[in-house]
Amino acid sequence: MGKEAEIIRERFPDVLAVTGPAQYEQVVGAVHEAAPMPPSAFLNLVPEGGLKLTPRHYSYLKISEGCNHRCSFCIIPSLRGDLVSRRPDAILREAEKLIAAGTKELLVISQDTSAYGIDMRHRAWPWKGARSAPT
């Protein structure tokens, strides 16, 4: 529904934020902006590395969301939208955080892993002071 932000805001003018598929950071940012929570050792129980539902030695690393294919048996494009690749620098930052938290094996996942980067053609991204090669 985030693709229809204007319709949502028109019908519900008191809505504080509208986000699209896979915009997890924007959702968290909107919640923190609308209802900031004072720091407390008793309330902030989530560790710096985040919470994981997998064993400590491996983690899933999602590189994109959605799919550009319209297979008759699949609902993913309807739910997740078209392919949106994550920026390489964001993926590398997340990988570093996971490794620092004890991950030994990264499982790279997405709905269509082979299509990663198609939507970001010929763009360079900064990484630790240098520019990456275009994808």
PDB file of all heavy atoms in Angstrom, residues 29-61:
ATOM      1  N   GLY A  29      12.312   4.418  11.753  1.00  0.00           N
ATOM      2  CA  GLY A  29      12.569   5.860  11.884  1.00  0.00           C
ATOM      3  C   GLY A  29      11.296   6.645  12.166  1.00  0.00           C
ATOM      4  O   GLY A  29      11.283   7.554  13.009  1.00  0.00           O
ATOM      5  N   ALA A  30      10.226   6.296  11.486  1.00  0.00           N
ATOM      6  CA  ALA A  30       8.943   6.983  11.696  1.00  0.00           C
ATOM      7  C   ALA A  30       8.415   6.729  13.103  1.00  0.00           C
ATOM      8  O   ALA A  30       7.888   7.641  13.754  1.00  0.00           O
ATOM      9  CB  ALA A  30       7.927   6.536  10.649  1.00  0.00           C
ATOM     10  N   VAL A  31       8.558   5.498  13.588  1.00  0.00           N
ATOM     11  CA  VAL A  31       8.104   5.176  14.947  1.00  0.00           C
ATOM     12  C   VAL A  31       8.923   5.952  15.966  1.00  0.00           C
ATOM     13  O   VAL A  31       8.379   6.555  16.895  1.00  0.00           O
ATOM     14  CB  VAL A  31       8.183   3.650  15.213  1.00  0.00           C
ATOM     15  CG1 VAL A  31       7.974   3.336  16.690  1.00  0.00           C
ATOM     16  CG2 VAL A  31       7.178   2.915  14.351  1.00  0.00           C
ATOM     17  N   HIS A  32      10.231   5.991  15.790  1.00  0.00           N
ATOM     18  CA  HIS A  32      11.093   6.710  16.731  1.00  0.00           C
ATOM     19  C   HIS A  32      10.811   8.214  16.700  1.00  0.00           C
ATOM     20  O   HIS A  32      10.904   8.880  17.733  1.00  0.00           O
ATOM     21  CB  HIS A  32      12.566   6.431  16.436  1.00  0.00           C
ATOM     22  CG  HIS A  32      13.002   5.078  16.879  1.00  0.00           C
ATOM     23  ND1 HIS A  32      13.685   4.845  18.037  1.00  0.00           N
ATOM     24  CD2 HIS A  32      12.815   3.862  16.315  1.00  0.00           C
ATOM     25  CE1 HIS A  32      13.917   3.562  18.184  1.00  0.00           C
ATOM     26  NE2 HIS A  32      13.392   2.938  17.141  1.00  0.00           N
ATOM     27  N   GLU A  33      10.473   8.733  15.535  1.00  0.00           N
ATOM     28  CA  GLU A  33      10.160  10.157  15.417  1.00  0.00           C
ATOM     29  C   GLU A  33       8.826  10.478  16.090  1.00  0.00           C
ATOM     30  O   GLU A  33       8.688  11.478  16.773  1.00  0.00           O
ATOM     31  CB  GLU A  33      10.094  10.549  13.939  1.00  0.00           C
ATOM     32  CG  GLU A  33       9.945  12.033  13.710  1.00  0.00           C
ATOM     33  CD  GLU A  33       9.981  12.361  12.236  1.00  0.00           C
ATOM     34  OE1 GLU A  33      10.873  11.850  11.536  1.00  0.00           O
ATOM     35  OE2 GLU A  33       9.107  13.128  11.791  1.00  0.00           O
ATOM     36  N   ALA A  34       7.840   9.615  15.894  1.00  0.00           N
ATOM     37  CA  ALA A  34       6.508   9.853  16.451  1.00  0.00           C
ATOM     38  C   ALA A  34       6.442   9.579  17.955  1.00  0.00           C
ATOM     39  O   ALA A  34       5.698  10.237  18.671  1.00  0.00           O
ATOM     40  CB  ALA A  34       5.477   8.992  15.725  1.00  0.00           C
ATOM     41  N   ALA A  35       7.193   8.597  18.415  1.00  0.00           N
ATOM     42  CA  ALA A  35       7.149   8.221  19.828  1.00  0.00           C
ATOM     43  C   ALA A  35       8.548   7.928  20.342  1.00  0.00           C
ATOM     44  O   ALA A  35       8.919   6.778  20.564  1.00  0.00           O
ATOM     45  CB  ALA A  35       6.249   6.999  20.008  1.00  0.00           C
ATOM     46  N   PRO A  36       9.361   8.975  20.519  1.00  0.00           N
ATOM     47  CA  PRO A  36      10.718   8.733  21.001  1.00  0.00           C
ATOM     48  C   PRO A  36      10.697   8.122  22.407  1.00  0.00           C
ATOM     49  O   PRO A  36       9.875   8.464  23.239  1.00  0.00           O
ATOM     50  CB  PRO A  36      11.359  10.118  21.013  1.00  0.00           C
ATOM     51  CG  PRO A  36      10.238  11.083  20.946  1.00  0.00           C
ATOM     52  CD  PRO A  36       9.060  10.380  20.370  1.00  0.00           C
ATOM     53  N   MET A  37      11.604   7.191  22.604  1.00  0.00           N
ATOM     54  CA  MET A  37      11.676   6.501  23.875  1.00  0.00           C
ATOM     55  C   MET A  37      12.967   6.888  24.579  1.00  0.00           C
ATOM     56  O   MET A  37      14.043   6.806  23.988  1.00  0.00           O
ATOM     57  CB  MET A  37      11.649   4.982  23.638  1.00  0.00           C
ATOM     58  CG  MET A  37      11.152   4.223  24.813  1.00  0.00           C
ATOM     59  SD  MET A  37      10.593   2.546  24.421  1.00  0.00           S
ATOM     60  CE  MET A  37      12.019   1.746  23.810  1.00  0.00           C
ATOM     61  N   PRO A  38      12.872   7.319  25.833  1.00  0.00           N
ATOM     62  CA  PRO A  38      14.106   7.664  26.553  1.00  0.00           C
ATOM     63  C   PRO A  38      14.949   6.413  26.787  1.00  0.00           C
ATOM     64  O   PRO A  38      14.406   5.322  26.970  1.00  0.00           O
ATOM     65  CB  PRO A  38      13.601   8.239  27.885  1.00  0.00           C
ATOM     66  CG  PRO A  38      12.213   7.721  28.037  1.00  0.00           C
ATOM     67  CD  PRO A  38      11.685   7.484  26.643  1.00  0.00           C
ATOM     68  N   PRO A  39      16.276   6.552  26.727  1.00  0.00           N
ATOM     69  CA  PRO A  39      17.132   5.390  26.947  1.00  0.00           C
ATOM     70  C   PRO A  39      16.922   4.806  28.344  1.00  0.00           C
ATOM     71  O   PRO A  39      16.828   5.532  29.314  1.00  0.00           O
ATOM     72  CB  PRO A  39      18.551   5.924  26.798  1.00  0.00           C
ATOM     73  CG  PRO A  39      18.438   7.347  26.412  1.00  0.00           C
ATOM     74  CD  PRO A  39      17.012   7.758  26.483  1.00  0.00           C
ATOM     75  N   SER A  40      16.825   3.486  28.411  1.00  0.00           N
ATOM     76  CA  SER A  40      16.641   2.811  29.684  1.00  0.00           C
ATOM     77  C   SER A  40      17.189   1.396  29.569  1.00  0.00           C
ATOM     78  O   SER A  40      16.854   0.677  28.632  1.00  0.00           O
ATOM     79  CB  SER A  40      15.157   2.757  30.047  1.00  0.00           C
ATOM     80  OG  SER A  40      14.946   1.844  31.096  1.00  0.00           O
ATOM     81  N   ALA A  41      18.003   1.019  30.520  1.00  0.00           N
ATOM     82  CA  ALA A  41      18.574  -0.326  30.518  1.00  0.00           C
ATOM     83  C   ALA A  41      17.491  -1.389  30.674  1.00  0.00           C
ATOM     84  O   ALA A  41      17.665  -2.529  30.274  1.00  0.00           O
ATOM     85  CB  ALA A  41      19.600  -0.462  31.641  1.00  0.00           C
ATOM     86  N   PHE A  42      16.354  -1.020  31.240  1.00  0.00           N
ATOM     87  CA  PHE A  42      15.273  -1.974  31.445  1.00  0.00           C
ATOM     88  C   PHE A  42      14.360  -2.093  30.226  1.00  0.00           C
ATOM     89  O   PHE A  42      13.695  -3.094  30.044  1.00  0.00           O
ATOM     90  CB  PHE A  42      14.443  -1.589  32.669  1.00  0.00           C
ATOM     91  CG  PHE A  42      15.241  -1.638  33.935  1.00  0.00           C
ATOM     92  CD1 PHE A  42      15.656  -0.474  34.548  1.00  0.00           C
ATOM     93  CD2 PHE A  42      15.600  -2.850  34.500  1.00  0.00           C
ATOM     94  CE1 PHE A  42      16.403  -0.512  35.709  1.00  0.00           C
ATOM     95  CE2 PHE A  42      16.351  -2.907  35.660  1.00  0.00           C
ATOM     96  CZ  PHE A  42      16.761  -1.732  36.264  1.00  0.00           C
ATOM     97  N   LEU A  43      14.320  -1.059  29.381  1.00  0.00           N
ATOM     98  CA  LEU A  43      13.447  -1.067  28.213  1.00  0.00           C
ATOM     99  C   LEU A  43      14.188  -1.406  26.925  1.00  0.00           C
ATOM    100  O   LEU A  43      13.633  -2.026  26.031  1.00  0.00           O
ATOM    101  CB  LEU A  43      12.748   0.290  28.050  1.00  0.00           C
ATOM    102  CG  LEU A  43      11.810   0.691  29.181  1.00  0.00           C
ATOM    103  CD1 LEU A  43      11.265   2.084  28.943  1.00  0.00           C
ATOM    104  CD2 LEU A  43      10.677  -0.308  29.340  1.00  0.00           C
ATOM    105  N   ASN A  44      15.419  -0.998  26.802  1.00  0.00           N
ATOM    106  CA  ASN A  44      16.197  -1.220  25.585  1.00  0.00           C
ATOM    107  C   ASN A  44      16.988  -2.510  25.711  1.00  0.00           C
ATOM    108  O   ASN A  44      18.188  -2.508  25.946  1.00  0.00           O
ATOM    109  CB  ASN A  44      17.137  -0.033  25.322  1.00  0.00           C
ATOM    110  CG  ASN A  44      16.369   1.258  25.167  1.00  0.00           C
ATOM    111  OD1 ASN A  44      15.178   1.254  24.896  1.00  0.00           O
ATOM    112  ND2 ASN A  44      17.042   2.370  25.361  1.00  0.00           N
ATOM    113  N   LEU A  45      16.296  -3.612  25.527  1.00  0.00           N
ATOM    114  CA  LEU A  45      16.910  -4.918  25.724  1.00  0.00           C
ATOM    115  C   LEU A  45      17.511  -5.505  24.461  1.00  0.00           C
ATOM    116  O   LEU A  45      18.146  -6.545  24.513  1.00  0.00           O
ATOM    117  CB  LEU A  45      15.872  -5.894  26.299  1.00  0.00           C
ATOM    118  CG  LEU A  45      15.267  -5.475  27.642  1.00  0.00           C
ATOM    119  CD1 LEU A  45      14.164  -6.442  28.041  1.00  0.00           C
ATOM    120  CD2 LEU A  45      16.330  -5.404  28.714  1.00  0.00           C
ATOM    121  N   VAL A  46      17.317  -4.856  23.314  1.00  0.00           N
ATOM    122  CA  VAL A  46      17.838  -5.377  22.057  1.00  0.00           C
ATOM    123  C   VAL A  46      19.328  -5.049  21.972  1.00  0.00           C
ATOM    124  O   VAL A  46      19.725  -3.892  22.073  1.00  0.00           O
ATOM    125  CB  VAL A  46      17.087  -4.772  20.848  1.00  0.00           C
ATOM    126  CG1 VAL A  46      17.673  -5.276  19.545  1.00  0.00           C
ATOM    127  CG2 VAL A  46      15.600  -5.082  20.938  1.00  0.00           C
ATOM    128  N   PRO A  47      20.166  -6.046  21.784  1.00  0.00           N
ATOM    129  CA  PRO A  47      21.600  -5.788  21.690  1.00  0.00           C
ATOM    130  C   PRO A  47      21.956  -4.997  20.437  1.00  0.00           C
ATOM    131  O   PRO A  47      21.180  -4.941  19.483  1.00  0.00           O
ATOM    132  CB  PRO A  47      22.220  -7.187  21.652  1.00  0.00           C
ATOM    133  CG  PRO A  47      21.127  -8.091  21.250  1.00  0.00           C
ATOM    134  CD  PRO A  47      19.836  -7.453  21.650  1.00  0.00           C
ATOM    135  N   GLU A  48      23.130  -4.378  20.440  1.00  0.00           N
ATOM    136  CA  GLU A  48      23.589  -3.550  19.318  1.00  0.00           C
ATOM    137  C   GLU A  48      23.561  -4.304  17.991  1.00  0.00           C
ATOM    138  O   GLU A  48      23.229  -3.752  16.965  1.00  0.00           O
ATOM    139  CB  GLU A  48      25.020  -3.055  19.583  1.00  0.00           C
ATOM    140  CG  GLU A  48      25.526  -2.061  18.572  1.00  0.00           C
ATOM    141  CD  GLU A  48      24.798  -0.731  18.600  1.00  0.00           C
ATOM    142  OE1 GLU A  48      24.356  -0.324  19.679  1.00  0.00           O
ATOM    143  OE2 GLU A  48      24.665  -0.108  17.539  1.00  0.00           O
ATOM    144  N   GLY A  49      23.880  -5.572  18.009  1.00  0.00           N
ATOM    145  CA  GLY A  49      23.877  -6.379  16.792  1.00  0.00           C
ATOM    146  C   GLY A  49      22.492  -6.798  16.333  1.00  0.00           C
ATOM    147  O   GLY A  49      22.344  -7.423  15.294  1.00  0.00           O
ATOM    148  N   GLY A  50      21.463  -6.456  17.094  1.00  0.00           N
ATOM    149  CA  GLY A  50      20.099  -6.819  16.739  1.00  0.00           C
ATOM    150  C   GLY A  50      19.729  -8.211  17.238  1.00  0.00           C
ATOM    151  O   GLY A  50      20.533  -8.907  17.842  1.00  0.00           O
ATOM    152  N   LEU A  51      18.490  -8.591  16.977  1.00  0.00           N
ATOM    153  CA  LEU A  51      18.012  -9.914  17.360  1.00  0.00           C
ATOM    154  C   LEU A  51      17.986 -10.813  16.138  1.00  0.00           C
ATOM    155  O   LEU A  51      17.619 -10.375  15.057  1.00  0.00           O
ATOM    156  CB  LEU A  51      16.606  -9.821  17.947  1.00  0.00           C
ATOM    157  CG  LEU A  51      16.484  -9.091  19.273  1.00  0.00           C
ATOM    158  CD1 LEU A  51      15.023  -8.967  19.662  1.00  0.00           C
ATOM    159  CD2 LEU A  51      17.254  -9.803  20.362  1.00  0.00           C
ATOM    160  N   LYS A  52      18.343 -12.063  16.326  1.00  0.00           N
ATOM    161  CA  LYS A  52      18.341 -13.026  15.234  1.00  0.00           C
ATOM    162  C   LYS A  52      17.533 -14.237  15.654  1.00  0.00           C
ATOM    163  O   LYS A  52      17.499 -14.582  16.821  1.00  0.00           O
ATOM    164  CB  LYS A  52      19.769 -13.477  14.916  1.00  0.00           C
ATOM    165  CG  LYS A  52      20.643 -12.416  14.321  1.00  0.00           C
ATOM    166  CD  LYS A  52      22.059 -12.894  14.062  1.00  0.00           C
ATOM    167  CE  LYS A  52      22.188 -14.384  13.936  1.00  0.00           C
ATOM    168  NZ  LYS A  52      23.435 -14.889  13.507  1.00  0.00           N
ATOM    169  N   LEU A  53      16.911 -14.875  14.668  1.00  0.00           N
ATOM    170  CA  LEU A  53      16.170 -16.098  14.936  1.00  0.00           C
ATOM    171  C   LEU A  53      16.936 -17.327  14.475  1.00  0.00           C
ATOM    172  O   LEU A  53      16.425 -18.437  14.545  1.00  0.00           O
ATOM    173  CB  LEU A  53      14.807 -16.040  14.229  1.00  0.00           C
ATOM    174  CG  LEU A  53      13.900 -14.896  14.679  1.00  0.00           C
ATOM    175  CD1 LEU A  53      12.626 -14.889  13.855  1.00  0.00           C
ATOM    176  CD2 LEU A  53      13.583 -15.005  16.155  1.00  0.00           C
ATOM    177  N   THR A  54      18.157 -17.124  14.002  1.00  0.00           N
ATOM    178  CA  THR A  54      19.002 -18.230  13.552  1.00  0.00           C
ATOM    179  C   THR A  54      20.091 -18.483  14.592  1.00  0.00           C
ATOM    180  O   THR A  54      20.379 -17.613  15.412  1.00  0.00           O
ATOM    181  CB  THR A  54      19.672 -17.888  12.202  1.00  0.00           C
ATOM    182  OG1 THR A  54      20.448 -16.698  12.357  1.00  0.00           O
ATOM    183  CG2 THR A  54      18.642 -17.684  11.113  1.00  0.00           C
ATOM    184  N   PRO A  55      20.714 -19.636  14.549  1.00  0.00           N
ATOM    185  CA  PRO A  55      21.858 -19.868  15.449  1.00  0.00           C
ATOM    186  C   PRO A  55      22.950 -18.818  15.206  1.00  0.00           C
ATOM    187  O   PRO A  55      23.022 -18.230  14.119  1.00  0.00           O
ATOM    188  CB  PRO A  55      22.342 -21.262  15.050  1.00  0.00           C
ATOM    189  CG  PRO A  55      21.162 -21.917  14.423  1.00  0.00           C
ATOM    190  CD  PRO A  55      20.406 -20.815  13.747  1.00  0.00           C
ATOM    191  N   ARG A  56      23.777 -18.592  16.202  1.00  0.00           N
ATOM    192  CA  ARG A  56      24.778 -17.527  16.142  1.00  0.00           C
ATOM    193  C   ARG A  56      25.739 -17.665  14.964  1.00  0.00           C
ATOM    194  O   ARG A  56      26.211 -16.673  14.427  1.00  0.00           O
ATOM    195  CB  ARG A  56      25.558 -17.527  17.455  1.00  0.00           C
ATOM    196  CG  ARG A  56      26.608 -16.462  17.514  1.00  0.00           C
ATOM    197  CD  ARG A  56      27.373 -16.529  18.822  1.00  0.00           C
ATOM    198  NE  ARG A  56      28.584 -15.751  18.681  1.00  0.00           N
ATOM    199  CZ  ARG A  56      28.952 -14.810  19.514  1.00  0.00           C
ATOM    200  NH1 ARG A  56      28.227 -14.558  20.562  1.00  0.00           N
ATOM    201  NH2 ARG A  56      30.064 -14.150  19.312  1.00  0.00           N
ATOM    202  N   HIS A  57      26.036 -18.877  14.517  1.00  0.00           N
ATOM    203  CA  HIS A  57      27.084 -19.067  13.516  1.00  0.00           C
ATOM    204  C   HIS A  57      26.663 -18.713  12.093  1.00  0.00           C
ATOM    205  O   HIS A  57      27.509 -18.569  11.224  1.00  0.00           O
ATOM    206  CB  HIS A  57      27.636 -20.493  13.566  1.00  0.00           C
ATOM    207  CG  HIS A  57      26.674 -21.532  13.072  1.00  0.00           C
ATOM    208  ND1 HIS A  57      25.638 -22.005  13.853  1.00  0.00           N
ATOM    209  CD2 HIS A  57      26.590 -22.173  11.895  1.00  0.00           C
ATOM    210  CE1 HIS A  57      24.960 -22.904  13.167  1.00  0.00           C
ATOM    211  NE2 HIS A  57      25.506 -23.026  11.971  1.00  0.00           N
ATOM    212  N   TYR A  58      25.361 -18.567  11.796  1.00  0.00           N
ATOM    213  CA  TYR A  58      24.990 -18.138  10.443  1.00  0.00           C
ATOM    214  C   TYR A  58      23.877 -17.105  10.485  1.00  0.00           C
ATOM    215  O   TYR A  58      23.151 -16.995  11.463  1.00  0.00           O
ATOM    216  CB  TYR A  58      24.635 -19.318   9.541  1.00  0.00           C
ATOM    217  CG  TYR A  58      23.309 -20.003   9.809  1.00  0.00           C
ATOM    218  CD1 TYR A  58      22.139 -19.548   9.206  1.00  0.00           C
ATOM    219  CD2 TYR A  58      23.244 -21.118  10.614  1.00  0.00           C
ATOM    220  CE1 TYR A  58      20.936 -20.191   9.429  1.00  0.00           C
ATOM    221  CE2 TYR A  58      22.053 -21.768  10.837  1.00  0.00           C
ATOM    222  CZ  TYR A  58      20.888 -21.296  10.240  1.00  0.00           C
ATOM    223  OH  TYR A  58      19.703 -21.932  10.462  1.00  0.00           O
ATOM    224  N   SER A  59      23.804 -16.311   9.408  1.00  0.00           N
ATOM    225  CA  SER A  59      22.802 -15.253   9.300  1.00  0.00           C
ATOM    226  C   SER A  59      22.357 -15.134   7.857  1.00  0.00           C
ATOM    227  O   SER A  59      23.112 -15.412   6.931  1.00  0.00           O
ATOM    228  CB  SER A  59      23.390 -13.901   9.718  1.00  0.00           C
ATOM    229  OG  SER A  59      23.795 -13.916  11.051  1.00  0.00           O
ATOM    230  N   TYR A  60      21.125 -14.698   7.683  1.00  0.00           N
ATOM    231  CA  TYR A  60      20.612 -14.399   6.353  1.00  0.00           C
ATOM    232  C   TYR A  60      20.932 -12.950   6.020  1.00  0.00           C
ATOM    233  O   TYR A  60      20.824 -12.074   6.865  1.00  0.00           O
ATOM    234  CB  TYR A  60      19.103 -14.615   6.292  1.00  0.00           C
ATOM    235  CG  TYR A  60      18.717 -16.058   6.444  1.00  0.00           C
ATOM    236  CD1 TYR A  60      18.208 -16.544   7.639  1.00  0.00           C
ATOM    237  CD2 TYR A  60      18.879 -16.949   5.388  1.00  0.00           C
ATOM    238  CE1 TYR A  60      17.860 -17.868   7.779  1.00  0.00           C
ATOM    239  CE2 TYR A  60      18.538 -18.275   5.516  1.00  0.00           C
ATOM    240  CZ  TYR A  60      18.029 -18.731   6.716  1.00  0.00           C
ATOM    241  OH  TYR A  60      17.695 -20.050   6.850  1.00  0.00           O
ATOM    242  N   LEU A  61      21.349 -12.712   4.784  1.00  0.00           N
ATOM    243  CA  LEU A  61      21.682 -11.373   4.315  1.00  0.00           C
ATOM    244  C   LEU A  61      20.856 -11.102   3.059  1.00  0.00           C
ATOM    245  O   LEU A  61      21.148 -11.630   1.987  1.00  0.00           O
ATOM    246  CB  LEU A  61      23.183 -11.282   4.015  1.00  0.00           C
ATOM    247  CG  LEU A  61      23.714  -9.927   3.575  1.00  0.00           C
ATOM    248  CD1 LEU A  61      23.500  -8.884   4.667  1.00  0.00           C
ATOM    249  CD2 LEU A  61      25.194 -10.035   3.246  1.00  0.00           C
TER     250      LEU A  61
END
